[in-house]
Amino acid sequence: MKIASINTIFITGLIFLSASCSMTKNIAMNSVSDMLAGADKDGNSIEVDGDANAMLALTGESDVQLVADFFPTALKLYEIMYLQNPDHAGLAVMSGSLYVMYANVFVQEQAECLPPEEFDRQLEEFARAKLFYLRGRDYIFQMFDRKYPGFTDAVMSGNEERYQYAVSCLTEQDVNAAYWAGAGWLGAFSLDPLDMNIIPYIGGAVAMLERAAELNSDYNDGAIWDVLSAFYIAAPADFGGNPDRAELCHKEALRVSGGKTPGPYVTYAQSFCIPRQDADGYIAALEQALAINPDDNPGTRLATIITQQKAQRLLDSMEDYIIIW
């Protein structure tokens, strides 16, 4: 055999070996990513037996402080994994949803508990929460743009025809992503409703959530309906507010949850009863939220406990929100 032929075989072998190692690395990366995200690179959910669901270690926890201390580590772990594997739709959605969760539960909610004398610090924390809400939304939008080119531009265009067409492309597989992106977007809006980078385009967020509710009205115990009810009752009419639609969405949230999750009750007390100065409704809703047993649904134990802590805080400080004559 000629020397040239031997060299050709040797070089070809190195190329195949390198490609094989790269392929093995990609397979391993995708496998780990699938496991962490609970969805594959295309965003398809991976069915996991309830007893084998690793996320229960967080969602089923009863010690809120334990999860609060660990959450930033988990959040950055997922973000690092996503940046290493940016084409993995499951990781994009999980990273985005974790940022939205963190912004809501561990930044905004904690800031709302600060006393009046720490007003400046509260504003700083609200600004952090807004940043995290939008970061979470944008991670998910990166996934949508790969799946539906031009999605972000259309949904954030402020043009109803364009954003309605964009959200009409969403399928049932996209409901989870649409929920977290929409919730993050509206969360940022709630903290800074005068932000001109958000106000003109908020219709896209609402349209996305409405589409998600249309595709899966029972999603996550009525979570989509709960977010929509809070928006419709609070937003001015010029920006999409609609009290009648708010009432309908609240009823849907209660219907889907079967009254077994505290979120809709807390939303009703805070978003409906306070503006109306409805003391009886306020008390009744919060007491209903507190009557739920977190252990009845171990998979949502953490969320139930956190929401009930908020309910108790609102009940204890009722005089700050409701004028008692």
Side-chain angles (χ1 to χ4, degrees):
M1 184 180 291
K2 295 181 179 180
I3 296 296
S5 297
I6 294 174
N7 287 340
T8 300
I9 293 172
F10 180 70
I11 292 171
T12 302
L14 285 179
I15 291 172
F16 276 113
L17 178 61
S18 175
S20 177
C21 290
S22 177
M23 185 179 299
T24 301
K25 179 181 177 182
N26 288 338
I27 292 172
M29 175 69 79
N30 281 326
S31 179
V32 173
S33 298
D34 291 354
M35 179 185 68
L36 287 174
D40 64 20
K41 64 184 181 65
D42 296 320
N44 298 307
S45 297
I46 298 174
E47 295 299 326
V48 180
D49 180 75
D51 294 333
N53 188 350
M55 287 301 291
L56 282 174
L58 291 178
T59 62
E61 179 58 59
S62 60
D63 189 324
V64 177
Q65 189 59 49
L66 176 64
V67 176
D69 292 341
F70 172 72
F71 207 96
T73 301
L75 189 157
K76 299 309 288 186
L77 168 65
Y78 276 94
E79 186 175 31
I80 290 169
M81 286 292 296
Y82 171 58
L83 294 176
Q84 289 291 313
N85 196 0
D87 293 329
H88 196 285
L91 276 179
V93 176
M94 181 61 79
S95 299
S97 66
L98 287 175
Y99 263 111
V100 174
M101 290 181 217
Y102 184 68
N104 181 258
V105 177
F106 300 114
V107 183
Q108 180 180 344
E109 291 291 347
Q110 298 305 310
E112 290 177 350
C113 296
L114 293 173
E117 58 268 24
E118 294 193 57
F119 179 71
D120 289 341
R121 183 186 167 199
Q122 185 181 66
L123 290 181
E124 291 174 0
E125 291 301 295
F126 283 165
R128 287 183 66 230
K130 177 186 172 184
L131 182 151
F132 292 144
Y133 276 133
L134 294 178
R135 186 181 299 178
R137 177 202 67 180
D138 291 345
Y139 273 145
I140 296 171
F141 275 0
Q142 289 173 21
M143 180 277 294
F144 276 144
D145 277 335
R146 284 191 290 274
K147 189 172 182 180
Y148 309 109
F151 182 87
T152 298
D153 284 344
V155 174
M156 298 182 68
S157 67
N159 182 302
E160 184 174 3
E161 184 177 350
R162 288 187 65 197
Y163 65 65
Q164 288 291 359
Y165 175 77
V167 301
S168 72
C169 297
L170 298 178
T171 68
E172 189 169 357
Q173 179 185 317
D174 300 315
V175 168
N176 183 57
Y179 165 73
W180 286 109
W185 200 346
L186 292 186
F189 171 71
S190 72
L191 290 174
D192 192 0
L194 298 180
D195 185 346
M196 292 307 298
N197 291 316
I198 296 179
I199 294 175
Y201 317 112
I202 206 66
V206 178
M208 187 164 51
L209 288 168
E210 288 282 9
R211 173 62 174 166
E214 175 187 335
L215 291 167
N216 185 354
S217 64
D218 292 350
Y219 169 81
N220 197 14
D221 294 329
I224 300 172
W225 296 115
D226 196 30
V227 172
L228 285 172
S229 70
F231 168 78
Y232 281 125
I233 196 65
D238 289 344
F239 296 107
N242 186 331
D244 291 337
R245 182 64 179 165
E247 291 281 359
L248 187 150
C249 290
H250 175 64
K251 290 176 181 177
E252 283 296 287
L254 290 176
R255 177 190 66 78
V256 176
S257 67
K260 296 179 180 179
T261 60
Y265 295 118
V266 174
T267 296
Y268 187 77
Q270 197 169 27
S271 300
F272 290 73
C273 296
I274 292 177
R276 297 170 179 172
Q277 289 296 287
D278 178 2
D280 292 339
Y282 183 88
I283 294 171
L286 294 176
E287 288 182 343
Q288 284 175 296
L290 292 169
I292 295 168
N293 184 354
D295 295 329
D296 285 346
N297 188 347
T300 61
R301 185 184 290 116
L302 178 68
T304 298
I305 291 172
I306 290 172
T307 307
Q308 287 181 325
Q309 288 179 345
K310 180 176 183 177
Q312 189 63 61
R313 174 172 60 82
L314 289 170
L315 197 57
D316 292 342
S317 57
M318 177 177 170
E319 66 278 3
D320 294 336
Y321 305 105
I322 303 288
I323 299 174
I324 307 299
W325 298 98

